[in-house]
Amino acid sequence: MSSNNNNNTNNNNVSRTPDNIGEDEEDIQINSETGMSHFLLEEDFSPKETKILRKYKKIFYLLAAFLTIVTIVLLIVFLLPRGWTPPKKLNVIMMIGDGMGPAAMTLARVAFNRSLVLDHYLIGTVRTYSFNSTVTDSAAGATAYASCIKTNNTYVGVDPWDKPAATLMEAAKKNGLKTGLVVTTRVSDATPAAYFSHSHSRYEEKFIITQLPDKDVDVVLGGGKKYFTDAIINSMSSNGYSTVYNKTDMNKVKKGKILGLFADGDIPFEVDRLYDQTSENIETPSLKEMSQKAIELLNQDNSKGFFLMLEGSKIDVCGHANDASGQIYETQAFDDAFQVALDFAKKDGHTIILVTADHETGGLTLGLQDRIDFYNEYYWNNTLITKVERSSLSMANMIIASNFTKTREIIQQYAKVEIDDSDLALLESLNSTSKYRYLQRAVGYVISRHAEIGWTTGGHTGVDVNLYAYAPDSLSENTKKEKISPLQDLFGNNNNIDICNFIKSKLNLDLESITKTLMSFSPFPPAK
C-alpha cells in the first residue's frame, strides 16, 4: 500500500517539460494542489503573450473569412449552368396574325403547295377567351398580350373596371429599350392601340391617336392617316420623327424615328397590291418591307435592345369577309415577314420571336358539303382560290360601280368563277346603300362555296390558336442532365396572358409601377 502511494505521489510530482507533454496535452495545465486540469485562458498568459495571441487570432479570422468568400464564389461559378451567360441586351419581336386560326395556315400551305416558314417553329397553342366572353375581340385579345390582364371586349389598355393598365411597350421604353409598331390596318386599330393607349372603347380612334406622341414609339408604320391631325404630325416631327407616306420615302429614312402612314384607312389587301398595279399600290410597302425597315432602324445604335410588335392585320379582315382567296395572300405576306424577322434573329444572336393570333375569325372549314341527304365527299378545291386576282372588297366595289349590271362578268374576270342563279340572287339582294356593307362578305362567301370552303360566321370564334417561336441557342441553359430551351415555359397549351408574362420576365419589365402612374388618366375621351 505504502509503496503504491509513494509511486502515485512521485508521479504527481514529476516535472512536466515539453519533452514529456503529449500533443493533446499542450493546452492543459495540471493543478498540483487539486490534481485537476483546465484549458488555457488569456489570463494564464503574460501581457506580452496575450498581445501576440490576439494578433494571431485576427490573422486566423481574416484567413477564415477569405476562405469562406472564395468557397462561395467557386460554388456559384461551378453550380451555374455552364455555357450560359446573361445576354448584354435582348430583343423581342411579337408577331400577331390577327384572326389567324389553324385552318388559315392549312389553307395557305395547301393553296401554294409549300410549307410555310412558320410550320417549323410550332411550339404550342393559346387560349383566347376574354374577361367577359368565351369569344374575344381584338381589343381584349391584344390587351391580354400587351398588359398581361384579361379584360372586356372593346377595351384597349384598360382593365375590366375601367382602370388603365400599363403595357409592355410603355415598360420597355421606361427601361431604355427602343419600341416599334408595324400593322397593315390603321395604327389606331384595336391591336396596335392596346400597346400604346388606354381607351374604354377601341372605336374611339381619334382619342387613341392623341395618346401616341407621348409614348415615344420609335417606329410606327401602317395606315390610318385620316386620324392624324396636323397638330399630332407636327408634334411628332418636332420630336425627331421622319414622316413618310409611301415606300420610296420610307426607304430613304436611314436612321432615327419614323412615322409611316401609307393609307387614309387600311393598307390595301395584299392580293390587290400584287395584281392591281396602280401607282398607289406600287408605292404601298408590303408587311415584309415594313418589317425590314423597322428592324433596321430599331437595331441601329442600340445597346439595350428593342420590343417590336408586327401585325398581319388583314388576315382577320379577310376572315370577316369570308374571303378565302384574299386570306391566303395575307397569310403568305405574314409568313414572309416572319422570314425577315427570323433571318435577323439568327444573325443577331439575342432576339426572341413569338408568333400567334389574338383569335380565329370566320370559323373557316376546309371541306363544305352542307346537304344532309347524301354522303359528303372528302374534298375542297385549293386550285380555284389561287386563281383569284382581287379581294372580295375590290370586286364588291366594282359591282356597286356598275350598279349591279355586270356582277357575273366581274366575278368571272377576277375570280375565274361562273356563278349560278342562286349566287346572283344572293348578291343582287344587297343592291341598296344600306346593305352594301354586306356585299363584300357575300362575294367572298360565293367564291368560297365554289371552292367547297366553308365559313361558320362573319365574326370571331373561340378556338385555340397556334403558337410559334424562335430563340437562339445562346439563351439556352445547360445543366448536367439537359439543355433547357428559353422557350420551355411556353411549350404546350397556354393562356394568352402567359405570353405577355413571358415577355415581361425576359425583358425584366415593371408594369405594376407604371400602372400606378396611370391612375389619374381617364380612358374616356374628353367631352365635346
Side-chain angles (χ1 to χ4, degrees):
M1 292 286 294
S2 173
S3 174
N4 289 337
N5 288 336
N6 290 335
N7 288 337
N8 288 339
T9 303
N10 291 336
N11 287 339
N12 288 337
N13 291 331
V14 172
S15 175
R16 299 178 66 82
T17 67
D19 293 332
N20 58 21
I21 296 176
E23 289 181 359
D24 58 342
E25 295 176 317
E26 286 181 352
D27 291 338
I28 300 176
Q29 181 178 4
I30 303 298
N31 187 309
S32 59
E33 294 182 358
T34 64
M36 298 180 66
S37 64
H38 69 272
F39 288 97
L40 290 175
L41 304 174
E42 278 194 12
E43 55 263 30
D44 296 315
F45 295 89
S46 67
K48 182 178 181 180
E49 290 173 326
T50 299
K51 185 176 181 181
I52 295 172
L53 179 63
R54 288 176 177 172
K55 178 180 178 181
Y56 283 113
K57 277 185 177 180
K58 289 180 180 179
I59 294 173
F60 171 78
Y61 289 138
L62 287 172
L63 285 172
F66 174 76
L67 290 173
T68 300
I69 293 170
V70 169
T71 302
I72 292 171
V73 170
L74 290 174
L75 284 172
I76 291 173
V77 169
F78 286 102
L79 289 180
L80 274 178
R82 297 184 183 184
W84 180 88
T85 54
K88 294 180 180 178
K89 71 172 185 178
L90 182 63
N91 307 316
V92 173
I93 300 174
M94 176 72 182
M95 297 186 65
I96 298 176
D98 198 316
M100 187 181 72
M105 306 300 288
T106 306
L107 178 70
R109 184 189 310 114
V110 176
F112 293 119
N113 193 29
R114 67 171 179 85
S115 292
L116 300 174
V117 181
L118 281 164
D119 287 338
H120 306 286
Y121 297 91
L122 180 67
I123 67 168
T125 54
V126 180
R127 304 189 295 278
T128 63
Y129 64 92
S130 67
F131 184 82
N132 67 340
S133 177
T134 53
V135 179
T136 190
D137 79 331
S138 292
T143 298
Y145 288 138
S147 294
C148 307
I149 62 168
K150 294 281 187 180
T151 195
N152 298 328
N153 288 357
T154 77
Y155 286 21
V156 288
V158 176
D159 71 18
W161 302 276
D162 297 325
K163 301 296 183 185
T167 72
L168 293 174
M169 197 158 284
E170 290 171 321
K173 178 59 67 171
K174 183 179 178 181
N175 277 14
L177 279 72
K178 291 186 179 181
T179 56
L181 289 169
V182 175
V183 300
T184 51
T185 52
R186 307 166 308 285
V187 172
S188 51
D189 200 11
T191 300
Y195 281 87
F196 71 83
S197 73
H198 309 279
S199 177
H200 175 79
S201 172
R202 59 179 288 183
Y203 302 111
E204 297 287 352
E205 296 191 48
K206 290 182 179 179
F207 170 60
I208 286 168
I209 285 299
T210 62
Q211 301 175 50
L212 181 61
D214 292 334
K215 304 304 178 179
D216 195 29
V217 181
D218 297 271
V219 171
V220 181
L221 301 174
K225 182 168 59 177
K226 63 184 178 182
Y227 294 111
F228 284 78
T229 64
D230 290 342
I232 292 173
I233 291 176
N234 291 337
S235 172
M236 297 184 74
S237 296
S238 65
N239 286 325
Y241 285 85
S242 298
T243 304
V244 298
Y245 301 103
N246 55 61
K247 179 166 63 175
T248 298
D249 289 342
M250 179 188 78
N251 289 333
K252 290 178 180 177
V253 179
K254 300 300 182 182
K255 63 180 181 178
K257 296 184 285 190
I258 186 171
L259 171 64
L261 301 173
F262 306 111
D264 281 339
D266 296 346
I267 285 176
F269 287 94
E270 185 69 6
V271 64
D272 293 332
R273 205 182 60 80
L274 293 173
Y275 285 101
D276 185 12
Q277 292 291 290
T278 62
S279 59
E280 178 184 357
N281 285 343
I282 291 172
E283 275 297 294
T284 299
S286 66
L287 181 61
K288 173 183 177 180
E289 291 165 334
M290 290 190 289
S291 300
Q292 288 172 324
K293 178 55 65 174
I295 292 171
E296 171 196 334
L297 295 177
L298 290 173
N299 192 53
Q300 194 177 80
D301 301 323
N302 187 353
S303 61
K304 292 191 175 182
F306 64 77
F307 174 74
L308 171 63
M309 194 284 288
L310 299 171
E311 184 189 32
S313 319
K314 300 192 79 170
I315 298 171
D316 171 72
V317 179
C318 289
H320 282 294
N322 292 173
D323 185 354
S325 52
Q327 193 174 80
I328 61 173
Y329 288 99
E330 297 300 325
T331 305
Q332 178 179 248
F334 186 72
D335 197 53
D336 290 343
F338 173 69
Q339 181 69 73
V340 168
L342 184 65
D343 290 343
F344 167 77
K346 286 184 174 181
K347 183 178 180 180
D348 174 67
H350 46 257
T351 297
I352 293 175
I353 308 173
L354 300 172
V355 187
T356 189
D358 47 358
H359 52 74
E360 194 274 346
T361 302
L364 174 64
T365 179
L366 305 178
L368 171 69
Q369 295 97 37
D370 54 0
R371 289 177 55 186
I372 61 173
D373 58 347
F374 74 99
Y375 194 78
N376 296 332
E377 298 180 70
Y378 299 132
Y379 171 79
W380 64 278
N381 188 346
N382 61 290
T383 303
L384 185 150
I385 60 172
T386 62
K387 296 178 179 179
V388 180
E389 297 179 354
R390 291 293 189 279
S391 66
S392 62
L393 176 62
S394 180
M395 286 183 276
N397 287 335
M398 293 180 199
I399 291 170
I400 294 169
S402 76
N403 197 26
F404 286 77
T405 61
K406 297 182 179 180
T407 304
R408 288 184 188 271
E409 293 88 335
I410 289 168
I411 293 182
Q412 168 63 34
Q413 180 178 352
Y414 295 106
K416 312 298 186 291
V417 170
E418 294 281 354
I419 63 173
D420 56 31
D421 289 343
S422 63
D423 296 329
L424 184 62
L426 171 62
L427 298 173
E428 290 186 339
S429 71
L430 302 174
N431 186 5
S432 68
T433 305
S434 62
K435 295 181 180 179
Y436 284 168
R437 60 177 295 188
Y438 304 111
L439 184 60
Q440 177 188 5
R441 182 183 171 194
V443 172
Y445 175 82
V446 165
I447 296 170
S448 293
R449 191 172 66 81
H450 279 267
E452 297 191 73
I453 293 171
W455 301 88
T456 66
T457 178
H460 301 170
T461 67
V463 302
D464 291 355
V465 295
N466 289 348
L467 175 64
Y468 308 84
Y470 168 81
D473 287 339
S474 60
L475 298 180
S476 298
E477 296 183 29
N478 295 325
T479 68
K480 292 181 179 179
K481 295 183 178 180
E482 62 181 338
K483 188 174 186 178
I484 301 175
S485 167
L487 302 171
Q488 183 167 344
D489 290 343
L490 297 179
F491 293 163
N493 185 258
N494 304 270
N495 210 316
N496 50 14
I497 59 174
D498 296 334
I499 312 303
C500 178
N501 282 315
F502 174 85
I503 297 173
K504 173 185 170 183
S505 173
K506 292 299 180 183
L507 292 178
N508 193 29
L509 302 179
D510 180 7
L511 272 65
E512 291 75 16
S513 66
I514 298 176
T515 296
K516 291 179 181 178
T517 68
L518 294 169
M519 290 180 65
S520 62
F521 180 84
S522 173
F524 297 88
K528 297 179 182 179

